[in-house]
């Protein structure tokens, strides 16, 4: 490149910078001319090929070009962010920092942990069982005959003739009684599976907490009532509970347990379908035939059992209108229940 060509290049570059509009355009020209791979550093590198006697004048001209381009760029506001060139300038130390996002327990985990805490004060420990069960534990021992609709292929995920995804946490009752001697006092939180079509209030995979208390001294429905009333109060506040007669194959008598609607306090609203109550659990006195299935003598022991839906409690407690929100892991949602 001759000195004249160099002079011409300088003119063009200065004209381009003068005409540039916007920070992006100025930055693009900075990169083009003085960036690490820009044309002026390339000329400096190529200096060794310039004949020795011309080198000083050429060098001077290149340095002058560089300075003028830099001044022109600076006048245009380039360099506000010098990160690319490795220099840090204009750091505003008064700007707020970037807060790390803190994780939080999922509402389902929170309800399970809180339940375990409440029942532990009443002497309950936590028992566990597998998600894949055999039909004996899930149905037969719970006094549910083969023709019962819950055994139907359209209700239960059967994996094989002798294996299924448990439809309830009640089989953990059977496991607990078969592995222990009375008295037993356990709760069993866990996943359950049903062939339900997912919508705002149904999911094919949900959670339950089972409870079982069996003793060699007489246990009554009043004991069950007091324990569930205490739980309701601790979990939901002072609303109140009511027990309605119901039927379950593995309890006799059986009840359904409603909590007073926390939204309208019983006056009637959309959440409780104007009834003032929300169904939370099934419960009852363990059926003597269940004791028979696990080899316990129904003349010697008595007890109660209950099972409630974790999602249902979470939805009420945190005012969640759609069960699917609990499985989508949208951080905007999870942050609100944290
Ligand atoms: N397993 C029942 C269900 O999924 C709930 C239930 C009802 C559990 C009564 C119990 C009980 O332990 O005693 O609908």
């Amino acid at each position: 490149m001759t000195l004249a060509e160099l002079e011409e290049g300088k003119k063009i570059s200065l004209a381009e910078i003068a005409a540039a509009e916007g920070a992006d355009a100025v930055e693009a020209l900075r990169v083009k001319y003085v960036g690490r791979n820009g044309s002026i550093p390339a000329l400096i590198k190529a200096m060794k090929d310039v004949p020795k006697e011309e080198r000083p004048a050429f060098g001077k001209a290149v340095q002058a070009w560089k300075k003028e381009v830099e001044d022109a760029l600076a006048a245009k506001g380039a360099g506000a962010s010098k990160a690319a060139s490795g220099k840090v300038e204009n750091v505003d130390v008064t700007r707020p920092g970037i807060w790390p996002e803190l994780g939080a327990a999922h509402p389902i985990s929170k309800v399970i942990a809180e339940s375990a805490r409440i029942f532990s004060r009443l002497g309950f420990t936590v028992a566990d069982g597998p998600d894949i069960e055999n039909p004996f534990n899930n149905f037969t021992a719970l006094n549910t005959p083969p023709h019962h609709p819950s055994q139907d292929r359209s209700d239960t995920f059967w994996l094989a003739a002798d294996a299924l995804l448990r439809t309830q946490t009640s089989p953990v009752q059977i496991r607990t009684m078969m592995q222990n001697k009375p008295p037993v006092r356990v709760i069993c939180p866990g996943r359950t599976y049903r062939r339900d079509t997912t919508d705002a209030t149904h999911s094919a995979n949900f959670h339950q907490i089972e409870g079982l208390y069996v003793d060699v001294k007489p246990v009554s429905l009043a004991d069950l009532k007091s324990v569930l009333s205490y739980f309701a109060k601790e979990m939901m506040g002072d609303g109140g509970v009511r027990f309605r007669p119901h039927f379950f194959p593995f309890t006799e008598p059986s009840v359904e347990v409603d909590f007073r609607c926390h939204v309208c306090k019983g006056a009637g609203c959309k959440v409780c379908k104007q009834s003032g109550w929300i169904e939370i659990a099934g419960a009852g006195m363990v059926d003597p035939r269940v004791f028979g299935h696990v080899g316990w003598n129904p003349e010697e022991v008595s007890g109660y059992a209950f099972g409630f839906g974790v999602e249902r409690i979470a939805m009420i407690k945190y005012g969640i209108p759609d069960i699917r929100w609990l499985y989508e892991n949208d951080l905007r949602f999870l942050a609100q229940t944290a």
Side-chain angles (χ1 to χ4, degrees):
M1 187 181 264
T2 65
L3 278 174
E5 282 169 341
L6 213 136
E7 207 53 40
E8 184 60 23
K10 179 162 95 178
K11 253 190 231 150
I12 294 170
S13 67
L14 292 175
E16 276 180 9
I17 293 168
E21 266 172 42
D24 287 349
V26 174
E27 173 62 11
L29 288 169
R30 188 191 66 73
V31 171
K32 178 176 173 187
Y33 289 110
V34 291
R36 199 175 330 141
N37 299 314
S39 41
I40 296 177
L43 280 174
I44 295 171
K45 256 184 242 153
M47 200 88 83
K48 58 184 184 324
D49 303 325
V50 174
K52 219 173 176 176
E53 49 296 351
E54 288 171 27
R55 226 177 267 167
F58 195 85
K60 224 171 166 184
V62 172
Q63 289 303 338
W65 182 6
K66 185 172 177 218
K67 170 122 194 17
E68 274 180 68
V69 164
E70 280 175 350
D71 288 349
L73 286 167
K76 281 269 180 178
S81 155
K82 279 277 174 72
S85 62
K87 291 183 213 152
V88 179
E89 279 179 10
N90 299 335
V91 175
D92 179 357
V93 293
T94 65
R95 284 180 67 180
I98 299 167
W99 289 93
E101 299 240 15
L102 289 183
H106 191 280
I108 289 178
S109 307
K110 285 207 290 204
V111 169
I112 290 175
E114 176 72 359
S115 303
R117 202 175 61 78
I118 295 168
F119 281 111
S120 75
R121 281 191 238 128
L122 300 170
F124 286 78
T125 53
V126 173
D128 199 13
D131 290 17
I132 297 176
E133 264 296 1
N134 58 53
F136 177 81
N137 286 344
N138 196 83
F139 291 125
T140 317
L142 290 162
N143 209 24
T144 310
H147 58 76
H148 193 274
S150 63
Q151 292 221 31
D152 203 308
R153 302 217 153 255
S154 63
D155 278 333
T156 301
F157 288 107
W158 285 88
L159 303 177
D162 58 353
L164 52 88
L165 292 176
R166 66 180 176 192
T167 59
Q168 48 191 354
T169 42
S170 305
V172 190
Q173 289 185 28
I174 304 303
R175 290 179 175 270
T176 304
M177 287 192 276
M178 299 227 275
Q179 288 161 12
N180 293 280
K181 287 192 163 51
V184 294
R185 201 193 298 255
V186 291
I187 60 160
C188 334
R191 283 175 194 276
T192 52
Y193 305 82
R194 285 180 203 173
R195 296 181 80 133
D196 268 335
T197 307
T198 302
D199 63 23
T201 53
H202 293 87
S203 166
N205 170 209
F206 55 103
H207 298 73
Q208 289 187 334
I209 299 181
E210 195 76 13
L212 175 72
Y213 170 48
V214 181
D215 211 327
V216 288
K217 58 187 187 200
V219 179
S220 74
L221 196 64
D223 297 324
L224 168 65
K225 222 177 147 177
S226 70
V227 162
L228 289 183
S229 303
Y230 174 74
F231 172 73
K233 184 165 169 238
E234 291 294 300
M235 186 58 110
M236 295 295 185
D238 251 335
V241 274
R242 78 174 180 186
F243 293 71
R244 285 179 288 110
H246 199 72
F247 173 80
F248 294 105
F250 37 90
T251 44
E252 181 58 36
S254 302
V255 292
E256 269 192 329
V257 186
D258 299 340
F259 286 6
R260 176 101 59 189
C261 178
H262 70 298
V263 176
C264 63
K265 310 273 181 264
C269 69
K270 222 171 67 190
V271 174
C272 60
K273 301 199 188 84
Q274 307 303 331
S275 72
W277 297 92
I278 295 175
E279 182 199 320
I280 294 290
M285 304 307 293
V286 179
D287 193 298
R289 297 183 61 151
V290 173
F291 289 134
H293 280 299
V294 298
W296 287 11
N297 184 351
E299 302 296 325
E300 291 170 5
V301 294
S302 60
Y304 59 71
F306 57 85
F308 53 82
V310 177
E311 279 79 353
R312 181 150 276 212
I313 292 185
M315 288 170 78
I316 296 171
K317 199 171 162 70
Y318 301 110
I320 301 164
D322 192 320
I323 196 170
R324 289 166 291 199
W325 294 8
L326 289 165
Y327 311 118
E328 285 167 355
N329 282 336
D330 187 328
L331 288 177
R332 292 169 304 177
F333 162 71
L334 293 175
Q336 289 178 48
T337 59

